[in-house]
């Protein structure tokens, strides 16, 4: 599940400069950079456990594990995103590897209505403070930070 594309685009050359991505490294995903960052689900490998370099040898390792984080698109649920990741991992296991997926905790993606009095006041304060209109984007909810609408 994805939310609608944002009304603004994030220039990919600017993004390269700001992130420090190495020359020649290609971006992954389809569509606008702003949509890939803000309104579409994504998965990131946060950690990998395998044989440490100091103990490595030219042998197969018996087991490895990884912690994967999923950014949940606005309007999606943690359960749906977890099920989609699970299906992807199980369907794409290479070389007959056995894959086990253990779901962690999650929070739902949200869409917040910004037409209420408090949201309108916040947008006005941002406009006054920065001298330009705030850009309203949907950035998902993989780190739930707002339990209810600001209205």
């Amino acid at each position: 599940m994805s939310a609608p594309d944002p009304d603004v685009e994030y220039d990919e050359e600017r993004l390269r400069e700001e992130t420090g991505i190495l020359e020649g490294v290609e971006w992954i995903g389809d569509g606008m950079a702003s949509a890939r960052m803000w309104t579409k689900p994504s998965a990131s490998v946060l950690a990998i456990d395998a044989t440490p370099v100091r103990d490595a040898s030219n042998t197969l390792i018996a087991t490895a594990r990884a912690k994967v984080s999923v950014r949940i698109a606005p309007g999606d649920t943690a359960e749906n995103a977890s099920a989609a990741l699970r299906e992807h991992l199980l369907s794409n296991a290479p070389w007959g590897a056995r894959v086990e997926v253990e779901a962690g905790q999650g929070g739902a993606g949200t869409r917040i209505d910004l037409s209420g009095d408090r949201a309108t006041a916040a947008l006005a304060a941002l406009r006054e403070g920065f001298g330009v209109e705030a850009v309203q984007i949907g950035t998902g909810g993989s780190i739930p930070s707002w339990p209810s609408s600001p209205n």
Side-chain angles (χ1 to χ4, degrees):
M1 172 178 278
S2 295
D5 284 347
D7 291 334
V8 297
E9 174 56 291
Y10 202 103
D11 179 70
E12 288 199 17
E13 287 306 312
R14 177 181 172 191
L15 186 58
R16 283 186 175 280
E17 287 178 30
E18 292 177 354
T19 61
I21 193 169
L22 298 175
E23 187 175 329
V25 174
E26 296 180 20
W27 299 109
I28 60 173
D30 299 331
M32 299 166 46
S34 56
R36 290 193 314 261
M37 292 187 301
W38 299 332
T39 62
K40 294 184 179 193
S42 68
S44 301
V45 177
L46 302 180
I48 298 174
D49 284 337
T51 307
V53 171
R54 72 177 176 278
D55 298 333
S57 64
N58 193 16
T59 57
L60 294 176
I61 60 172
T63 187
R65 66 182 184 157
K67 183 170 188 173
V68 180
S69 176
V70 177
R71 183 182 64 229
I72 301 170
D76 202 357
T77 66
E79 295 78 17
N80 184 59
S82 180
L85 177 62
R86 177 185 181 82
E87 175 61 28
H88 176 78
L89 294 173
L90 294 175
S91 298
N92 291 283
W95 312 297
R98 293 186 201 142
V99 175
E100 296 177 17
V101 179
E102 187 177 308
Q105 54 184 231
T110 59
R111 289 188 186 131
I112 298 172
D113 179 11
L114 295 178
S115 63
D117 293 342
R118 286 183 268 181
T120 301
L123 291 170
L126 289 168
R127 180 178 50 252
E128 183 178 330
F130 290 96
V132 295
E133 292 292 328
V135 176
Q136 298 177 31
I137 60 170
T139 59
S142 60
I143 302 174
S145 60
W146 200 310
S148 61
S149 172
N151 295 317

